[in-house]
Amino acid sequence: MFGTVVVGIGIAGSVRLRDMLNPMPSSPSEHLKLVGFVSRRTLGSINEVKQIGLQDALGNKEIQAAIISTDNKSHEENVRMFLEAGKHVLVEYPMALSASTARELWELAEQKGKILHVEHIELLTEEYKQLKKEVTGKELVKGTLHFTGGALDEERSGFPAFSGIARLTWLIDLFGDLTVTSATREEQKEESYSRMTAHFQTANKKPLTWIEERGPGMRRDKKISFCFKSGCLENLPEAPRSAVGLFMQDQNLFAKKLFGQVSREELAAEKWRILRCLDLAEEIRQHCERPAEIHS
C-alpha cells in the first residue's frame, strides 16, 4: 500500500478525494491508501478523512505519495516540497508555469528516484481517443484548434499557453513535434477578455494554428478544422462517455507507475511530450510579450 495525501480541495481535489475513497475494484488504485488531505481552508474532515497540516504531511513516514490539486501557481512549490521530502507526486497540469522550472522538478524527481506524474486527462476522453483514430494515418494539409472558455485569473492560473496546455498536448500527440512560427495576444483587461493565437509548423512544414480565447460568459468549447489530403474534419467526433471517470483513469496510471507496470519507453515518450509542450508554451509566451515592431 502507498499512503497518499491529497493537497488542495477545489473541484479537482474533491474528485481526487472521492476517487481515492472509492477505487475501482481490482485496479492499481486499490493499493493507494488515503491518509489525509491538506487544504488552506479549515475543513476538519471530509467523509471521515482527516485534514492534516502541510508540514505533518511532508514529515509523515506513512505517506509515500502526494496528489497536488492546488492553483497552478502553487504547483511548483508543492511538487518541489514533496519530492524533497522523498514522496512520489501526481500533479495536475501544468506542472509548472515555466519550462525551466519543469525541467528542474523532473531532474529532482529522478535524483530522488521518485515518480513524477503529470495528469493528462485531456488525452483520456473518449472524444479525443476517437479523434485520434480519425486523424491517424492521414496527411495533414493545415489545421486549427480553437478553444473558448470563461475568464481566467492569470495570477493564479498562469499565462494562457501554460493554463491551456491541454490543447497544445492534443496537437503534439496528434501531429508530432511542432515549431512555433509566430504568436500574438489580444487583451482587454477591463473586460477580462483574452485571445492568444499561436502558429506552428509540423515536421513536414504544414501549418497549424492554436487559438485560446477566454472571456466572461464564453461557453467552454473546442472547435477544430483539420484538413488532410483526403478531406477535412470540421467537427469533433461524437463518443459515449467512458464508464470510468477521467481522474480515476489517471489515478490508475499513477498507481501503475508506482508498481513499475509502465514500460521505460512509455515513460520516456511521456516525459518528452510533457517537457516539449512546456518548451513550446514558453516560446509562445516570449513571442506574445515581445514589443510590436514600429515601422517608420
Side-chain angles (χ1 to χ4, degrees), residues 58-86:
L58 291 167
N60 190 336
K61 292 183 179 178
E62 189 186 350
I63 295 173
Q64 290 92 37
I67 296 176
I68 310 298
S69 297
T70 59
D71 291 340
N72 292 354
K73 71 172 183 178
S74 304
H75 287 178
E76 172 193 344
E77 180 185 16
N78 282 295
V79 170
R80 193 183 302 278
M81 285 192 296
F82 278 95
L83 286 175
E84 287 178 343

Side-chain angles (χ1 to χ4, degrees), residues 18-294:
R18 180 200 69 195
D19 287 353
M20 285 288 299
L21 289 168
N22 301 282
M24 281 177 60
S26 304
S27 75
S29 288
E30 284 194 318
H31 299 279
L32 300 178
K33 178 188 175 186
L34 184 59
V35 176
F37 68 87
V38 174
S39 176
R40 290 173 301 183
R41 296 170 291 157
T42 301
L43 300 173
S45 64
I46 299 174
N47 294 330
E48 299 183 4
V49 179
K50 290 182 180 178
Q51 180 170 357
I52 58 178
L54 177 60
Q55 293 305 316
D56 290 340
L58 291 167
N60 190 336
K61 292 183 179 178
E62 189 186 350
I63 295 173
Q64 290 92 37
I67 296 176
I68 310 298
S69 297
T70 59
D71 291 340
N72 292 354
K73 71 172 183 178
S74 304
H75 287 178
E76 172 193 344
E77 180 185 16
N78 282 295
V79 170
R80 193 183 302 278
M81 285 192 296
F82 278 95
L83 286 175
E84 287 178 343
K87 318 291 188 188
H88 302 285
V89 173
L90 180 161
V91 61
E92 315 293 350
Y93 75 81
M95 64 183 286
L97 295 179
S98 81
S100 59
T101 297
R103 291 183 181 280
E104 285 175 26
L105 294 175
W106 213 287
E107 287 170 12
L108 177 60
E110 290 174 346
Q111 288 166 11
K112 293 284 188 178
K114 298 300 172 185
I115 294 295
L116 174 54
H117 171 79
V118 182
E119 168 258 297
H120 54 293
I121 60 170
E122 71 278 2
L123 300 182
L124 300 176
T125 66
E126 295 304 309
E127 175 185 65
Y128 177 75
K129 291 173 186 175
Q130 188 60 39
L131 174 63
K132 188 164 185 179
K133 281 183 188 175
E134 295 198 19
V135 166
T136 298
K138 293 180 179 175
E139 190 174 343
L140 183 73
V141 175
K142 63 178 181 177
T144 299
L145 172 58
H146 184 171
F147 175 84
T148 58
L152 273 186
D153 177 355
E154 287 189 29
E155 178 64 29
R156 296 167 60 191
S157 300
F159 187 79
F162 286 90
S163 61
I165 208 163
R167 268 66 73 188
L168 187 50
T169 302
W170 268 32
L171 293 178
I172 284 278
D173 194 59
L174 289 172
F175 302 111
D177 198 8
L178 302 174
T179 302
V180 181
T181 55
S182 67
T184 56
R185 177 121 186 261
E186 175 194 347
E187 266 192 293
Q188 297 170 13
K189 289 191 176 179
E190 66 283 358
E191 304 292 336
S192 300
Y193 173 82
S194 169
R195 180 185 172 108
M196 182 195 76
T197 303
H199 297 283
F200 308 96
Q201 274 190 347
T202 67
N204 294 328
K205 308 293 185 187
K206 302 303 181 185
L208 271 174
T209 301
W210 168 30
I211 301 168
E212 192 81 3
E213 186 175 16
R214 285 186 171 273
M218 292 190 78
R219 189 166 69 90
R220 189 176 178 87
D221 194 21
K222 284 189 285 286
K223 296 186 178 74
I224 62 165
S225 176
F226 296 144
C227 289
F228 306 94
K229 286 198 169 179
S230 57
C232 291
L233 190 59
E234 300 287 352
N235 295 295
L236 286 168
E238 291 187 11
R241 289 186 66 175
S242 171
V244 181
L246 298 176
F247 285 102
M248 181 67 81
Q249 292 181 51
D250 185 64
Q251 180 178 294
N252 283 334
L253 179 54
F254 177 54
K256 284 178 70 175
K257 289 179 180 179
L258 295 180
F259 285 99
Q261 296 172 354
V262 179
S263 72
R264 287 186 181 181
E265 292 77 16
E266 288 175 278
L267 292 173
E270 188 178 83
K271 175 185 174 181
W272 176 85
R273 172 178 51 73
I274 290 165
L275 294 180
R276 182 60 181 145
C277 285
L278 288 162
D279 285 340
L280 292 172
E282 192 76 65
E283 284 188 56
I284 291 167
R285 174 163 60 187
Q286 290 168 5
H287 275 278
C288 290
E289 291 178 349
R290 283 178 194 152
E293 291 183 11
I294 299 174

